Coordinates of all heavy atoms in Angstrom, one line a residue:
M600 N 110.5 106.8 108.7 CA 110.6 107.6 107.5 C 111.7 107.2 106.6 O 112.8 106.8 107.1 CB 111.1 109.0 108.0 CG 111.0 110.1 107.0 SD 109.2 110.8 106.9 CE 109.6 112.4 106.3
V601 N 111.5 106.8 105.4 CA 112.4 106.4 104.4 C 113.3 107.6 103.8 O 112.6 108.5 103.4 CB 111.8 105.6 103.2 CG1 112.8 105.1 102.3 CG2 110.9 104.5 103.7
E602 N 114.5 107.4 103.8 CA 115.4 108.4 103.3 C 115.6 108.1 101.8 O 116.2 107.2 101.4 CB 116.7 108.6 104.0 CG 116.6 108.9 105.4 CD 116.2 110.4 105.7 OE1 116.5 111.2 104.9 OE2 115.5 110.6 106.7
L603 N 115.1 109.0 100.9 CA 115.3 108.7 99.5 C 115.9 109.9 98.8 O 115.6 111.0 99.0 CB 113.9 108.5 98.8 CG 113.8 108.4 97.3 CD1 114.5 107.0 96.9 CD2 112.3 108.2 96.8
C604 N 117.1 109.7 98.1 CA 117.9 110.8 97.6 C 118.3 110.4 96.2 O 118.8 109.4 95.9 CB 119.0 110.9 98.6 SG 120.0 112.4 98.2
V605 N 118.2 111.5 95.3 CA 118.7 111.3 93.9 C 119.7 112.3 93.7 O 119.7 113.4 94.0 CB 117.4 111.6 93.0 CG1 117.8 111.5 91.5 CG2 116.2 110.7 93.2
C606 N 120.8 111.7 93.0 CA 121.9 112.5 92.6 C 121.5 113.4 91.5 O 121.0 113.0 90.5 CB 123.1 111.6 92.3 SG 124.6 112.6 91.8
I607 N 121.9 114.7 91.7 CA 121.7 115.7 90.6 C 123.0 116.3 90.2 O 123.1 117.4 89.6 CB 120.7 116.8 91.0 CG1 121.1 117.5 92.3 CG2 119.3 116.3 91.1 CD1 120.4 118.8 92.5
G608 N 124.1 115.5 90.5 CA 125.5 116.0 89.9 C 125.4 115.9 88.4 O 124.5 115.3 87.7
S609 N 126.5 116.5 87.7 CA 126.4 116.6 86.3 C 126.3 115.3 85.6 O 125.6 115.2 84.6 CB 127.6 117.5 85.8 OG 128.8 117.2 86.4
S610 N 127.1 114.3 86.1 CA 127.1 113.0 85.4 C 125.7 112.4 85.5 O 125.2 111.8 84.5 CB 128.1 112.1 86.0 OG 128.0 110.8 85.5
C611 N 125.0 112.4 86.7 CA 123.7 111.8 86.8 C 122.6 112.7 86.1 O 121.6 112.1 85.6 CB 123.4 111.7 88.3 SG 124.4 110.4 89.0
H612 N 122.9 114.0 86.0 CA 122.0 114.8 85.3 C 121.9 114.3 83.8 O 120.8 114.2 83.2 CB 122.5 116.3 85.3 CG 121.6 117.2 84.6 ND1 120.3 117.6 84.9 CD2 121.8 117.8 83.4 CE1 119.7 118.4 84.0 NE2 120.7 118.5 83.1
I613 N 123.0 114.1 83.2 CA 123.1 113.6 81.8 C 122.4 112.3 81.7 O 121.8 112.0 80.6 CB 124.6 113.6 81.3 CG1 125.1 115.0 81.2 CG2 124.7 112.8 80.0 CD1 126.6 115.2 81.2
K614 N 122.6 111.4 82.8 CA 122.0 110.1 82.7 C 120.4 110.1 82.9 O 119.8 109.0 82.9 CB 122.7 109.1 83.6 CG 124.1 108.8 83.3 CD 124.7 108.0 84.4 CE 126.2 108.1 84.3 NZ 126.9 107.8 85.6
G615 N 120.0 111.3 83.3 CA 118.5 111.4 83.4 C 118.0 111.5 84.8 O 116.8 111.1 85.1
S616 N 118.7 112.2 85.7 CA 118.2 112.3 87.1 C 116.9 113.1 87.1 O 116.0 112.7 88.0 CB 119.3 113.0 88.0 OG 119.6 114.2 87.5
F617 N 116.6 114.1 86.2 CA 115.3 114.8 86.2 C 114.2 113.7 86.0 O 113.2 113.8 86.7 CB 115.4 115.8 85.2 CG 114.2 116.7 85.1 CD1 113.9 117.5 86.2 CD2 113.2 116.5 84.2 CE1 112.8 118.4 86.1 CE2 112.1 117.2 84.2 CZ 111.8 118.2 85.2
G618 N 114.3 112.8 85.1 CA 113.3 111.8 84.9 C 113.0 110.9 86.0 O 111.9 110.6 86.3
V619 N 114.2 110.6 86.7 CA 114.0 109.7 87.9 C 113.3 110.6 88.9 O 112.3 110.0 89.6 CB 115.4 109.3 88.4 CG1 115.3 108.5 89.7 CG2 116.1 108.4 87.4
I620 N 113.6 111.7 89.2 CA 113.0 112.6 90.2 C 111.5 112.8 89.8 O 110.5 112.5 90.7 CB 113.6 113.9 90.3 CG1 115.0 113.9 90.9 CG2 112.8 115.0 91.0 CD1 115.9 115.1 90.8
Q621 N 111.2 113.0 88.6 CA 109.7 113.2 88.3 C 109.0 111.8 88.6 O 107.8 111.9 89.0 CB 109.7 113.5 86.7 CG 110.0 114.9 86.4 CD 109.4 116.0 87.2 OE1 110.0 116.6 88.1 NE2 108.2 116.2 86.9
A622 N 109.5 110.7 88.2 CA 108.9 109.5 88.4 C 108.7 109.2 89.9 O 107.6 108.8 90.3 CB 109.7 108.3 87.8
F623 N 109.6 109.5 90.7 CA 109.5 109.3 92.1 C 108.4 110.2 92.6 O 107.6 109.8 93.5 CB 110.8 109.5 92.9 CG 111.9 108.4 92.6 CD1 113.2 108.6 93.1 CD2 111.6 107.2 92.0 CE1 114.1 107.6 93.0 CE2 112.5 106.4 91.8 CZ 113.9 106.5 92.3
K624 N 108.4 111.5 92.2 CA 107.5 112.5 92.8 C 106.2 112.0 92.5 O 105.2 112.2 93.3 CB 107.7 113.8 92.1 CG 108.7 114.7 92.8 CD 108.6 116.2 92.1 CE 109.5 117.1 92.9 NZ 109.7 118.3 92.0
Q625 N 105.9 111.5 91.2 CA 104.6 111.1 90.7 C 104.1 109.9 91.7 O 102.9 109.9 92.1 CB 104.7 110.5 89.3 CG 103.3 110.4 88.7 CD 103.4 109.8 87.4 OE1 104.5 109.9 86.7 NE2 102.4 109.3 86.9
H626 N 105.0 108.9 92.0 CA 104.6 107.8 92.9 C 104.3 108.3 94.2 O 103.4 107.9 94.9 CB 105.7 106.8 92.9 CG 105.7 105.8 91.8 ND1 105.1 104.6 91.9 CD2 106.2 105.9 90.5 CE1 105.2 104.0 90.7 NE2 106.0 104.8 89.9
I627 N 105.1 109.3 94.8 CA 104.9 109.8 96.2 C 103.6 110.5 96.2 O 102.8 110.3 97.2 CB 106.1 110.7 96.5 CG1 107.3 109.9 96.7 CG2 105.7 111.4 97.8 CD1 108.6 110.7 96.9
E628 N 103.2 111.3 95.2 CA 101.9 112.0 95.2 C 100.7 111.1 95.0 O 99.8 111.2 95.8 CB 102.0 113.1 94.2 CG 102.8 114.3 94.7 CD 103.1 115.3 93.5 OE1 102.5 115.2 92.5 OE2 104.1 116.1 93.7
E629 N 100.9 110.2 94.1 CA 99.7 109.3 93.8 C 99.4 108.5 95.0 O 98.3 108.1 95.3 CB 100.1 108.3 92.6 CG 99.9 109.0 91.3 CD 100.4 108.0 90.1 OE1 100.8 106.9 90.4 OE2 100.4 108.5 89.1
K630 N 100.5 108.0 95.8 CA 100.2 107.1 96.9 C 100.2 107.9 98.2 O 100.1 107.3 99.3 CB 101.4 106.1 97.0 CG 101.4 105.2 95.7 CD 102.5 104.2 95.8 CE 102.5 103.3 94.6 NZ 102.8 103.8 93.3
S631 N 100.1 109.3 98.1 CA 100.2 110.1 99.3 C 101.3 109.7 100.4 O 100.9 109.5 101.6 CB 98.8 110.1 100.0 OG 97.9 110.6 99.0
L632 N 102.5 109.5 100.0 CA 103.6 109.1 100.8 C 104.4 110.3 101.3 O 105.5 110.0 101.9 CB 104.4 108.1 100.1 CG 103.6 106.8 99.6 CD1 104.7 106.1 98.6 CD2 103.3 106.0 100.8
Q633 N 103.9 111.5 101.2 CA 104.7 112.7 101.6 C 105.2 112.6 103.0 O 106.3 113.1 103.4 CB 103.9 114.0 101.4 CG 103.7 114.3 99.9 CD 102.4 113.7 99.4 OE1 101.8 112.7 100.0 NE2 101.9 114.2 98.3
D634 N 104.4 112.0 103.9 CA 104.8 111.9 105.3 C 105.7 110.7 105.7 O 106.2 110.5 106.9 CB 103.5 111.8 106.2 CG 102.6 113.0 106.1 OD1 103.2 114.1 105.7 OD2 101.5 112.9 106.5
K635 N 105.8 109.8 104.7 CA 106.6 108.6 104.9 C 107.9 108.6 104.2 O 108.8 107.8 104.6 CB 105.8 107.4 104.4 CG 104.5 107.3 105.3 CD 103.8 105.9 105.0 CE 102.6 105.8 106.0 NZ 101.5 105.2 105.4
I636 N 108.1 109.4 103.3 CA 109.3 109.5 102.6 C 110.0 110.9 102.7 O 109.4 111.9 102.4 CB 109.2 109.1 101.1 CG1 108.6 107.6 101.0 CG2 110.4 109.3 100.3 CD1 108.2 107.2 99.6
N637 N 111.3 111.0 103.1 CA 111.9 112.2 103.0 C 112.8 112.2 101.7 O 113.8 111.5 101.6 CB 112.9 112.2 104.2 CG 113.6 113.5 104.4 OD1 113.2 114.5 103.7 ND2 114.7 113.6 105.1
F638 N 112.2 112.9 100.7 CA 112.7 112.9 99.4 C 113.6 114.1 99.2 O 113.2 115.2 99.3 CB 111.5 112.9 98.5 CG 111.9 112.8 96.9 CD1 113.0 112.0 96.6 CD2 111.2 113.4 96.0 CE1 113.3 111.8 95.2 CE2 111.6 113.3 94.6 CZ 112.6 112.4 94.3
K639 N 114.8 113.8 98.8 CA 115.9 114.8 98.7 C 116.7 114.6 97.4 O 116.6 113.6 96.8 CB 116.8 114.8 99.9 CG 116.3 115.1 101.2 CD 117.2 115.2 102.3 CE 117.9 113.8 102.6 NZ 118.6 113.8 103.8
S640 N 117.5 115.6 97.1 CA 118.5 115.5 96.0 C 119.8 115.8 96.6 O 120.0 116.5 97.7 CB 118.2 116.3 94.9 OG 118.0 117.7 95.3
S641 N 120.8 115.3 95.9 CA 122.2 115.5 96.4 C 123.1 115.8 95.2 O 122.8 115.4 94.0 CB 122.6 114.1 97.1 OG 124.0 114.1 97.1
F642 N 124.3 116.5 95.5 CA 125.2 116.6 94.5 C 126.0 115.4 94.3 O 125.6 114.3 95.0 CB 126.1 117.8 94.8 CG 125.4 119.1 94.7 CD1 125.2 119.9 95.8 CD2 124.9 119.5 93.4 CE1 124.4 121.1 95.6 CE2 124.1 120.7 93.3 CZ 123.9 121.5 94.4
C643 N 127.0 115.3 93.6 CA 127.7 114.0 93.3 C 127.9 113.0 94.5 O 128.4 113.4 95.5 CB 129.0 114.3 92.7 SG 129.9 112.8 92.0
M644 N 127.5 111.8 94.2 CA 127.6 110.8 95.3 C 128.8 109.9 95.0 O 128.8 108.7 95.5 CB 126.3 109.9 95.3 CG 125.1 110.6 95.7 SD 123.7 109.4 95.8 CE 122.3 110.4 96.3
K645 N 129.6 110.4 94.1 CA 130.8 109.6 93.7 C 130.7 108.2 93.2 O 131.3 107.2 93.4 CB 131.8 109.5 95.0 CG 132.0 110.7 95.9 CD 133.4 111.2 95.9 CE 133.6 112.3 96.7 NZ 133.1 113.5 96.2
Q646 N 129.6 108.2 92.4 CA 129.2 107.0 91.7 C 129.2 107.2 90.3 O 128.5 106.4 89.4 CB 127.8 106.4 92.1 CG 127.6 106.2 93.6 CD 128.4 105.1 94.1 OE1 128.6 104.0 93.6 NE2 129.1 105.3 95.2
C647 N 129.9 108.2 89.7 CA 129.7 108.7 88.3 C 130.1 107.5 87.3 O 129.5 107.5 86.2 CB 130.6 109.8 88.1 SG 130.2 111.2 89.0
S648 N 131.0 106.7 87.7 CA 131.5 105.6 86.8 C 130.4 104.5 86.6 O 130.5 103.7 85.6 CB 132.8 105.0 87.2 OG 132.6 104.5 88.5
N649 N 129.4 104.5 87.4 CA 128.5 103.5 87.2 C 127.3 103.8 86.2 O 127.3 105.0 85.8 CB 127.7 103.1 88.5 CG 128.7 102.5 89.5 OD1 129.5 101.8 89.2 ND2 128.6 102.9 90.8
A650 N 126.7 102.9 85.8 CA 125.7 103.0 84.5 C 124.6 104.1 84.8 O 124.3 104.9 83.9 CB 125.2 101.8 84.0
G651 N 123.9 104.0 85.9 CA 122.7 104.7 86.1 C 122.8 105.9 86.9 O 123.9 106.3 87.3
V652 N 121.7 106.5 87.2 CA 121.6 107.7 88.1 C 121.8 107.1 89.5 O 121.1 106.1 89.9 CB 120.2 108.4 87.9 CG1 120.1 109.5 89.0 CG2 120.1 109.0 86.6
A653 N 122.6 107.7 90.3 CA 122.8 107.3 91.6 C 121.6 107.7 92.6 O 121.2 108.9 92.6 CB 124.1 107.8 92.2
V654 N 121.0 106.7 93.2 CA 119.9 106.9 94.1 C 120.2 106.2 95.4 O 120.5 105.0 95.4 CB 118.6 106.3 93.5 CG1 117.4 106.3 94.5 CG2 118.2 107.0 92.1
S655 N 120.0 106.9 96.5 CA 120.2 106.2 97.8 C 118.9 106.0 98.5 O 118.0 106.9 98.5 CB 121.2 106.9 98.7 OG 120.7 108.0 99.3
V656 N 118.7 104.8 99.0 CA 117.5 104.5 99.8 C 118.0 104.1 101.2 O 118.8 103.1 101.3 CB 116.7 103.3 99.2 CG1 115.5 103.0 100.0 CG2 116.3 103.5 97.8
D657 N 117.7 104.9 102.3 CA 118.2 104.6 103.5 C 119.7 104.4 103.5 O 120.3 103.5 104.0 CB 117.6 103.5 104.3 CG 116.1 103.9 104.7 OD1 115.8 105.1 104.7 OD2 115.3 102.9 105.0
N658 N 120.4 105.3 102.8 CA 121.9 105.4 102.7 C 122.5 104.2 101.9 O 123.8 104.1 101.9 CB 122.5 105.5 104.1 CG 122.2 106.8 104.7 OD1 122.2 107.8 104.1 ND2 121.9 106.7 106.0
V659 N 121.7 103.3 101.2 CA 122.2 102.3 100.4 C 122.2 102.9 98.9 O 121.0 103.2 98.5 CB 121.5 101.0 100.5 CG1 122.1 100.0 99.6 CG2 121.6 100.5 101.9
I660 N 123.2 102.9 98.2 CA 123.2 103.5 96.9 C 123.0 102.4 95.8 O 123.5 101.3 95.8 CB 124.6 104.2 96.6 CG1 124.7 105.4 97.6 CG2 124.6 104.8 95.2 CD1 126.1 106.1 97.4
H661 N 122.0 102.9 94.9 CA 121.6 102.0 93.8 C 121.8 102.8 92.5 O 122.1 104.0 92.6 CB 120.2 101.8 93.9 CG 119.7 101.0 95.2 ND1 119.4 99.7 95.2 CD2 119.4 101.5 96.4 CE1 119.2 99.3 96.5 NE2 119.1 100.5 97.2
Q662 N 121.8 102.1 91.4 CA 121.8 102.8 90.1 C 120.5 102.6 89.4 O 119.9 101.5 89.4 CB 122.9 102.1 89.2 CG 124.3 101.9 89.9 CD 124.9 103.2 90.3 OE1 124.8 104.2 89.5 NE2 125.4 103.2 91.5
V663 N 119.8 103.7 89.0 CA 118.5 103.7 88.4 C 118.5 104.4 87.1 O 119.0 105.6 87.0 CB 117.4 104.3 89.4 CG1 116.1 104.2 88.8 CG2 117.6 103.6 90.7
S664 N 117.9 103.8 86.0 CA 117.7 104.5 84.8 C 116.3 105.1 84.8 O 115.4 104.5 85.4 CB 117.9 103.7 83.5 OG 117.0 102.6 83.6
P665 N 116.1 106.3 84.1 CA 114.8 107.0 84.2 C 113.7 106.0 83.8 O 112.6 106.0 84.5 CB 114.9 108.1 83.2 CG 116.4 108.3 83.1 CD 117.1 107.0 83.3
D666 N 113.9 105.1 82.8 CA 112.8 104.3 82.3 C 112.4 103.1 83.3 O 111.4 102.5 83.3 CB 113.1 103.7 80.9 CG 114.4 103.0 80.9 OD1 115.3 103.3 81.6 OD2 114.4 101.9 80.1
K667 N 113.3 102.9 84.3 CA 113.1 101.9 85.3 C 112.8 102.4 86.7 O 112.7 101.8 87.6 CB 114.4 101.0 85.4 CG 114.7 100.2 84.2 CD 114.0 98.9 84.2 CE 114.0 98.0 83.1 NZ 114.8 98.1 82.0
A668 N 112.6 103.9 86.7 CA 112.5 104.5 88.0 C 111.2 104.0 88.8 O 111.1 103.8 90.0 CB 112.6 106.0 87.9
G669 N 110.1 103.8 88.0 CA 108.8 103.4 88.5 C 109.0 102.0 89.1 O 108.5 101.8 90.2
E670 N 109.6 101.1 88.4 CA 109.8 99.8 88.8 C 110.7 99.7 90.1 O 110.4 99.0 91.0 CB 110.6 99.0 87.8 CG 109.8 98.2 86.8 CD 110.7 97.6 85.7 OE1 111.7 97.0 86.0 OE2 110.4 97.9 84.5
F671 N 111.7 100.6 90.1 CA 112.7 100.7 91.1 C 111.8 101.1 92.4 O 112.0 100.5 93.5 CB 113.8 101.6 90.9 CG 114.6 101.8 92.1 CD1 115.8 101.0 92.2 CD2 114.5 102.9 92.9 CE1 116.6 101.2 93.3 CE2 115.3 103.1 94.0 CZ 116.4 102.2 94.2
F672 N 111.0 102.1 92.3 CA 110.3 102.6 93.4 C 109.5 101.6 94.0 O 109.5 101.4 95.3 CB 109.5 103.8 92.9 CG 108.8 104.6 94.0 CD1 109.4 105.7 94.6 CD2 107.6 104.2 94.6 CE1 108.9 106.4 95.7 CE2 107.1 104.9 95.7 CZ 107.8 106.1 96.2
T673 N 108.8 100.8 93.1 CA 107.9 99.7 93.7 C 108.7 98.6 94.4 O 108.3 98.2 95.4 CB 107.1 99.2 92.5 OG1 106.4 100.2 91.9 CG2 106.1 98.1 92.9
A674 N 109.8 98.3 93.8 CA 110.6 97.2 94.3 C 111.4 97.5 95.6 O 111.6 96.7 96.5 CB 111.5 96.6 93.2
Q675 N 112.0 98.8 95.5 CA 113.0 99.1 96.6 C 112.5 100.1 97.6 O 113.0 100.0 98.8 CB 114.2 99.6 95.9 CG 114.9 98.8 95.0 CD 115.6 97.6 95.6 OE1 115.9 97.6 96.8 NE2 115.7 96.4 95.0
V676 N 111.5 100.8 97.3 CA 111.1 101.9 98.2 C 109.8 101.5 98.9 O 109.7 101.6 100.2 CB 110.9 103.3 97.6 CG1 110.5 104.3 98.5 CG2 112.2 103.7 96.8
M677 N 108.8 100.9 98.1 CA 107.5 100.7 98.7 C 107.6 99.7 99.9 O 106.9 99.8 100.9 CB 106.6 100.2 97.7 CG 106.0 101.1 96.7 SD 105.3 102.6 97.6 CE 103.8 101.9 98.3
P678 N 108.5 98.6 99.8 CA 108.5 97.6 101.0 C 109.0 98.4 102.2 O 108.7 97.9 103.4 CB 109.6 96.6 100.5 CG 109.6 96.7 99.1 CD 109.3 98.2 98.7
K679 N 109.6 99.6 102.2 CA 110.1 100.2 103.3 C 109.2 101.2 104.0 O 109.5 101.7 105.1 CB 111.5 100.9 103.0 CG 112.6 100.0 102.7 CD 113.8 100.7 102.3 CE 115.0 99.9 101.9 NZ 115.6 99.2 103.0
V680 N 108.1 101.6 103.2 CA 107.2 102.7 103.8 C 106.1 102.0 104.7 O 105.9 100.8 104.7 CB 106.6 103.5 102.7 CG1 107.7 104.3 102.0 CG2 105.7 102.8 101.8
Ligands
FES1499 S1 127.2 112.9 89.5 FE1 125.9 111.4 90.4 S2 127.3 110.1 91.2 FE2 128.6 111.7 90.5

C-alpha cells in the first residue's frame, strides 16, 4: 500500500492543494488503484516556505504544483503501486 498524502494547510491551500487532490483522485479512479493507495490529506506539513503544495509519498515529502500533479503521479506514485 502506497501512502499518499496532500497537505491542505492554509499555505498549500492557496498554492492549489485542491487541484492536486482532484488530479490524484482522477488518476486513482481511472486506474482503479483504490486498493493500492492510501490517499489522505494532512494539515500543515511544515513545508510552507517551499514553492509547491506539500505531498508525501511513503513519508517522503515533495513539492507539487497543481498543473504538474498528473506528471508527478505518473513519475513518483505509479512506480510504487
Ligand atoms: S500548509 Fe502545507 S506545508 Fe504548511
Side-chain angles (χ1 to χ4, degrees):
M600 196 82 153
V601 179
E602 298 289 328
L603 176 63
C604 186
V605 177
C606 179
I607 53 165
S609 46
S610 174
C611 288
H612 176 75
I613 290 165
K614 292 175 201 159
S616 56
F617 183 74
V619 173
I620 288 169
Q621 291 304 107
F623 287 175
K624 266 191 182 164
Q625 191 183 343
H626 276 262
I627 290 168
E628 280 166 21
E629 278 174 8
K630 299 175 174 73
S631 299
L632 298 171
Q633 292 89 342
D634 295 343
K635 297 191 170 143
I636 296 176
N637 185 16
F638 186 34
K639 296 186 290 191
S640 54
S641 156
F642 292 115
C643 183
M644 294 180 182
K645 312 241 184 293
Q646 305 292 319
C647 302
S648 56
N649 293 326
V652 174
V654 173
S655 74
V656 182
D657 288 342
N658 295 317
V659 177
I660 297 179
H661 304 259
Q662 310 301 320
V663 183
S664 61
D666 58 326
K667 294 273 176 1
E670 266 172 55
F671 175 86
F672 191 94
T673 303
Q675 300 292 335
V676 182
M677 284 310 290
K679 293 177 182 286
V680 295

